[in-house]
């Protein structure tokens, strides 16, 4: 066991990566490591990486480039690249960054402690990755992507009260632009009993909000004693875990948004009425080239069904603009879809060609960067205006907020010794809207009612509602604090 080793870890990408980093840190802490935010004093430097867009990879490569000099000064420093880029680029990483010691794919993260020890003992350029999707049978490839979930590390969570729980790994949808089926391997759902046990452990550690994770989380399916457990059933099974106040799940795939799931969201009070269901495009021609597996009409049918079951359910989306061959008219159909669905918010991405994908092999990246940028800005402006109108409809209403803690701005103010006065807190509504309000930091981790009096495109602004029992009548009188 190493004592007082210092670990610096940087994580980019999705929530799945944040969870993976939490688990790697938990394992390394058991090996005597402690975290540092100073890369200079670290004896182990890890990057947990993302390959979804080229930009994310460039950033990591330039960070790695900078480490070349610190490694010269400290030859014992171990540098590791983990996650999606490791699985995708493998040995290529050593060509571009010769001072890297280990490359560990998404399916081998349990090997990290051992590989760091070996690197420190002098072994060079170790690689642990899973089979590529064509290198074996489905079960061989699946087995080479190990699920990695048992250990947890509270210090790495978004907040002490919120935790991610993986319910499945991988993806089998093979959208033509997307690298995830390669970097995360075949779709595999975890046994419901394991998931329920993990939720119980987290609840005992003080977690109030669970976010179930899967690349296509609503495709979850697990056969147990001959019968199929789907996400709706899984939600019902974990719903009554003592201590858990809220349950969310991301990311959904439009075609798997079945009625049983919508009814579960409607009927289980702890499940937030919030569905992230990426549409990607509003054009049938583009959706077809993307091989998304649905038409705009089918997406709209699904969206109408959500609204029919829960009028107040927030729906958010992802869009890709500038996909190869996307005409102006096709782009405008994405605008139409945003206007029609009035998403709570949308994440909008410029198409990024990814080696190893069908789109990369078959379609030239023919939309100029300035056109992609313009389309991105136009769609974002339209979405932001809708988000603000939507948020404005909350003004004058009361919302239930799970308090996460001091907001970013009050955390900054706190660093200045002269700062005093009320503290701004941040939290979220059950429909995933961000709320800021003044209050006592000790409210963190509680459910609190907030009256909304203002908003921005991204945030509701309010004040805590305190209730007083009126003598005689016994009724509750809301008083705005
Ligand atoms: N280029 C741009 N955006 C992409 N996404 C996935 N692959 C690409 C790509 N090659 C986006 C999709 C997905 C989100 C996580 O990233 O919108 O929903
Ligand atoms: Fe990528 Fe499509 Fe799978 Fe989402 S559903 S992870 S976009 S391949």
């Amino acid at each position: 066991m190493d004592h007082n080793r210092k670990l610096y870890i940087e994580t980019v990408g999705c929530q799945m990566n944040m969870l993976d980093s939490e688990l790697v840190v938990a394992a390394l802490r058991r090996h005597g490591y402690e975290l540092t935010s100073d890369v200079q004093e670290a004896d182990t430097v890890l990057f947990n990486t993302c390959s979804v867009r080229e930009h994310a990879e460039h950033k990591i490569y330039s960070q790695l480039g900078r480490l070349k000099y610190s490694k010269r000064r400290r030859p014992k420093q171990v540098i590791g690249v983990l996650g999606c880029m490791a699985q995708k680029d493998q040995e290529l990483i050593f060509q571009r960054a010769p001072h890297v010691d280990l490359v560990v794919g998404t399916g081998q993260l349990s090997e990290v402690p051992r590989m760091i020890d070996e690197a420190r003992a002098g072994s060079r350029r170790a690689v642990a990755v899973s089979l590529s999707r064509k290198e074996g049978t489905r079960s061989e490839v699946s087995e080479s992507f190990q699920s990695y979930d048992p250990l947890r590390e509270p210090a790495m969570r978004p907040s002490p009260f919120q935790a991610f729980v993986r319910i499945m790994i991988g993806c089998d949808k093979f959208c033509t632009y997307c690298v995830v089926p390669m970097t995360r391997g075949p779709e595999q759902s975890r046994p419901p009993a394991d998931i329920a046990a993990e939720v119980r452990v987290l609840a005992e550690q003080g977690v109030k909000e669970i976010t179930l994770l899967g690349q296509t989380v609503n495709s979850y399916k697990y056969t147990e004693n001959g019968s199929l457990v789907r996400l709706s059933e899984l939600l019902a099974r974990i719903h009554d875990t003592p201590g858990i106040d809220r349950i969310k799940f991301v990311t959904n795939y439009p075609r798997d948004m079945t009625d049983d799931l919508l009814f579960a969201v409607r009927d289980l009070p702890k499940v937030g009425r919030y569905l992230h269901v990426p549409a990607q495009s509003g054009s049938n021609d583009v959706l077809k080239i993307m091989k998304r597996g649905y038409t705009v009409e089918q997406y709209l049918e699904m969206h109408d069904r959500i609204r029919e079951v829960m009028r107040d359910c927030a729906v958010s989306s992802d869009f890709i603009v500038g996909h190869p061959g996307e005409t102006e008219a096709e782009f405008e159909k994405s605008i139409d879809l945003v206007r029609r669905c009035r998403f709570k918010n949308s994440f909008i991405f410029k198409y990024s060609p990814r080696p190893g994908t069908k789109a990369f092999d078959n379609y030239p990246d023919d939309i100029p960067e300035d056109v992609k940028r313009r389309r991105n800005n136009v769609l974002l402006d339209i979405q932001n205006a809708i988000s603000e109108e939507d948020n404005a409809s909350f003004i004058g209403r009361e919302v239930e907020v799970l308090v996460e803690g001091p907001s970013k701005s009050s955390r900054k103010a706190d660093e200045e010794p002269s700062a005093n006065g009320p503290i701004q807190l941040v939290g979220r509504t059950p429909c995933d809207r961000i709320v800021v309000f003044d209050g006592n930091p000790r409210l963190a981790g509680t459910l609190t009612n907030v009256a909304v009096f203002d908003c921005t495109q991204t945030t509701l602004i309010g004040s805590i509602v305190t209730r007083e029992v009126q003598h005689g009548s016994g009724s509750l009188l809301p008083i705005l604090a």
Side-chain angles (χ1 to χ4, degrees), residues 29 274 313 334 437 473:
R29 271 205 204 265
Y274 160 63
C313 185
S334 291
F437 49 95
S473 74

Side-chain angles (χ1 to χ4, degrees), residues 206-217:
V207 168
K208 305 283 179 201
E209 180 185 88
I210 294 287
T211 303
L212 304 178
L213 296 184
Q215 244 72 42
T216 55
V217 72

Side-chain angles (χ1 to χ4, degrees), residues 306-379:
I306 297 174
R307 285 273 172 276
E308 261 164 45
V309 178
M310 293 166 285
R311 221 174 42 81
D312 58 346
C313 185
V315 181
S316 62
S317 181
D318 292 350
F319 282 90
I320 295 177
V321 296
H323 187 274
E326 186 190 59
T327 64
E328 206 55 34
E330 285 163 349
F331 165 65
E332 280 166 15
K333 295 204 160 129
S334 291
I335 298 182
D336 294 344
L337 189 62
V338 167
R339 289 214 165 105
R340 163 78 206 271
C341 294
R342 294 187 62 83
F343 297 110
K344 173 181 82 97
N345 66 297
S346 292
F347 299 97
I348 299 163
F349 305 103
K350 294 178 286 184
Y351 172 76
S352 171
R354 306 289 45 228
T357 61
K358 269 226 171 68
F360 183 86
D361 293 339
N362 296 341
Y363 315 113
D365 178 22
D366 58 358
I367 307 297
E369 181 59 26
D370 57 330
V371 175
K372 284 183 188 170
R373 199 177 316 125
R374 174 175 53 74
R375 289 180 187 172
N376 191 323
N377 291 341
V378 168
L379 197 55

Side-chain angles (χ1 to χ4, degrees), residues 14 51-53 177-180 251 276 278 280 292 318-321 347 349-354 357:
C14 62
S51 288
V52 162
R53 281 167 293 276
Y177 53 81
C178 185
V179 81
V180 168
T251 287
H276 182 62
Q280 310 296 3
R292 281 290 286 175
D318 292 350
F319 282 90
I320 295 177
V321 296
F347 299 97
F349 305 103
K350 294 178 286 184
Y351 172 76
S352 171
R354 306 289 45 228
T357 61

Side-chain angles (χ1 to χ4, degrees), residues 143-169:
E143 244 164 67
S144 78
F145 281 87
Q146 308 161 11
S147 181
Y148 181 48
D149 291 283
L151 293 165
R152 305 297 310 231
E153 174 49 49
M156 287 294 286
R157 295 206 188 117
S159 86
F161 318 105
Q162 299 171 295
F164 299 123
V165 172
R166 185 172 0 236
I167 66 166
M168 59 195 294
I169 58 172

